[in-house]
Amino acid sequence: MSAHHPHDELLVSYAAGTLPETASVIVATHLALCPACRKSVSRAECIGEALIQDIAPVRMEALALDSTLARLDEEQPSTTVAPPVPSGDPLLPRPLRDLVPQGLQALKWKTLGGGFRYAALKADGAGRLGLLEGQPGKATPHHGHHGDEFTLVLSGGYTDELGAFARGDLQCGDSTLMHRQVVDAGAACLCLVLTRGGIRPSHPVLRLLARFLPF
Amino acid sequence: MTLADPSTLTPAEMTARLVAVGRERDKAAFAELFSYYAPRIKAYLIRHGAGASQADEVAQEAFITVWRKAAMFDPAKASAGTWIFAIARNLRIDSIRRGRRPEFDPNDPAFVPDPEAQPDDTLEAEQMRARITDAVNQLPPDQAEVIKLSFFEDKPHSEIAAKLALPLGTVKSRLRMAMRRIRSTIEASS
């Protein structure tokens, strides 16, 4: 059971269907691992229903019901099949796995130095979504952020000033978060990361180099 | 086909209609659900920027999906209205926003299932819906406003904040307060 969860406003936006796709992917992947947040989302969906009950209805076109009834016996399109789980990879939950259909090894990884590598997955209005992997015992430089940063642990774990994070935990940081993430000893740590605005290392030289980071 | 006036059906009766659609492929029950919910879904889609005829088409499409998926509807987990709302929301994202709705898959090997007994499991989906509806109707106006805008405007909270001329932090804290209030209403009465 995860110990770190998305804020309510993120779960409400997911239930309302107003998040950009990258943010929805990270929330839905957390939901696959977190029964407690699934419950919050279903409560938020009840709110959506309560609001829709209150809305002034708009009359449907005259033949709408008849033409819908006439289509009920049409053949159903076949449903999509989940991509297979590549052997050797940590188990990526859907919907994330749909973005990595060929498995982790087929992604284009960029080495960041210091024992970290990054693979970009998707970008939109919410930010850039990618996978970040750190080797056991390695640490990121102490850094802040120019915008929101969401980190979902998929395997292994890390510790920073705010606590310990393991599979299923989602860390929601904003521009006030300053931290140094240390990967747990023993196993590599794989995280799904959504960043907006890039990172801001505390060290001035690293701050210059941060311009060349892929996120 | 003679139909009951759907506006006189209680939410529990709506849920019974949806179960009948799923189990018995009951077209009369389907028509009742359509008559009540389709005009509301159409209004919801128009609020999200659809034109009237597109909203009509998407609302019809939502009901084709209701028909196809009704066998999977579980009345222990959701009321009919909540379940239909989720279908309409997903189709809105597909057809109006031209995006994709990423969702978890309960049949996925990586999916972590619900623990067996949960404290408010005994609270039936219908009771849950009724209590949440009451709680929403009793929210202070400033909290109700941000909740409404969150569901009816396809905008990030930063834009909702700009629209209301409020700091983003205020919008977020009103939303959190509203959710806390709703949660405590559910917990106090269970």
Side-chain angles (χ1 to χ4, degrees):
Chain A
M1 185 83 57
S2 21
H4 302 271
H5 306 278
H7 295 309
D8 274 342
E9 69 266 16
L10 202 56
L11 295 176
V12 167
S13 301
Y14 179 77
T18 56
L19 288 179
E21 193 176 331
T22 54
S24 289
V25 168
I26 201 164
V27 172
T29 305
H30 171 75
L31 292 176
L33 301 172
C34 183
C37 287
R38 288 202 298 272
K39 195 193 272 180
S40 300
V41 167
S42 53
R43 285 174 183 171
E45 285 172 339
C46 288
I47 300 175
E49 190 218 342
L51 297 172
I52 225 175
Q53 294 287 357
D54 250 10
I55 207 170
V58 176
R59 187 186 290 274
M60 293 291 285
E61 282 164 21
L63 294 174
L65 176 58
D66 290 337
S67 59
T68 305
L69 285 170
R71 288 180 54 201
L72 294 186
D73 300 318
E74 280 175 10
E75 218 169 293
Q76 299 203 11
S78 58
T79 46
T80 53
V81 183
V85 181
S87 59
D89 280 359
L91 197 49
L92 300 183
R94 294 188 80 189
L96 171 62
R97 200 164 73 251
D98 301 338
L99 295 180
V100 194
Q102 310 298 325
L104 294 174
Q105 296 319 314
L107 292 172
K108 279 188 189 150
W109 290 95
K110 275 190 180 155
T111 303
L112 303 178
F116 289 85
R117 62 177 188 162
Y118 178 83
L121 295 176
K122 209 170 188 49
D124 62 21
R128 283 175 296 278
L129 186 71
L131 288 164
L132 180 66
E133 187 185 60
Q135 290 308 305
K138 299 291 182 184
T140 64
H142 189 256
H143 65 279
H145 305 269
H146 292 291
D148 294 340
E149 180 192 66
F150 300 144
T151 307
L152 174 66
V153 181
L154 298 163
S155 71
Y158 70 85
T159 303
D160 72 1
E161 288 79 346
L162 295 174
F165 297 82
R167 179 167 166 96
D169 283 333
L170 181 64
Q171 183 172 34
C172 295
D174 58 20
S175 53
T176 63
L177 172 71
M178 296 286 292
H179 63 167
R180 177 173 179 266
Q181 293 146 298
V182 184
V183 177
D184 296 348
C189 177
L190 180 71
C191 297
L192 180 64
V193 188
L194 178 66
T195 45
R196 182 160 53 190
I199 70 162
R200 197 178 62 236
S202 311
H203 193 285
V205 173
L206 293 177
R207 212 174 294 152
L208 270 171
L209 291 173
R211 292 186 195 168
F212 304 104
L213 286 176
F215 52 84
Chain B
M1 207 180 313
T2 32
L3 299 174
D5 174 5
S7 59
T8 64
L9 293 176
T10 64
E13 287 168 330
M14 294 287 187
T15 295
R17 297 296 188 276
L18 184 53
V19 170
V21 172
R23 292 194 189 148
E24 292 138 37
R25 310 312 274 154
D26 182 336
K27 288 186 179 170
F30 176 85
E32 286 176 312
L33 291 170
F34 185 99
S35 305
Y36 183 77
Y37 284 108
R40 284 171 174 78
I41 291 173
K42 183 174 178 178
Y44 162 76
L45 295 165
I46 290 172
R47 289 285 294 264
H48 272 282
S53 78
Q54 188 190 19
D56 209 283
E57 272 167 36
V58 177
Q60 290 183 43
E61 209 50 52
F63 271 86
I64 298 286
T65 308
V66 166
W67 177 259
R68 287 181 180 159
K69 292 194 170 167
M72 293 189 286
F73 170 67
D74 178 358
K77 290 209 164 141
S79 70
T82 307
W83 192 80
I84 293 172
F85 162 75
I87 286 179
R89 171 201 63 201
N90 292 359
L91 272 182
R92 168 180 69 73
I93 296 170
D94 278 355
S95 58
I96 296 172
R97 210 213 265 176
R98 303 218 165 272
R100 209 173 59 88
R101 166 77 178 176
E103 292 202 298
F104 57 82
D105 171 5
N107 300 314
D108 184 37
F111 184 80
V112 176
D114 292 339
E116 281 305 314
Q118 293 185 69
D120 60 18
D121 261 2
T122 47
L123 203 57
E124 293 287 326
E126 172 46 34
Q127 263 179 300
M128 177 76 84
R129 185 210 59 77
R131 284 183 187 163
I132 290 178
T133 303
D134 287 347
V136 170
N137 291 335
Q138 286 164 24
L139 285 176
D142 56 347
Q143 292 174 25
E145 182 179 43
V146 292
I147 283 274
K148 262 186 205 156
L149 291 174
S150 298
F151 278 90
F152 289 138
E153 305 260 333
D154 201 353
K155 284 183 179 148
H157 289 129
S158 56
E159 282 176 42
I160 291 174
K163 182 175 172 150
L164 298 174
L166 288 171
L168 177 58
T170 308
V171 167
K172 287 185 177 180
S173 69
R174 283 183 187 174
L175 259 177
R176 285 179 204 176
M177 280 191 282
M179 286 301 281
R180 208 173 305 143
R181 227 181 148 98
I182 290 166
R183 199 170 291 138
S184 66
T185 317
I186 300 165
E187 276 150 21
S189 45
S190 64

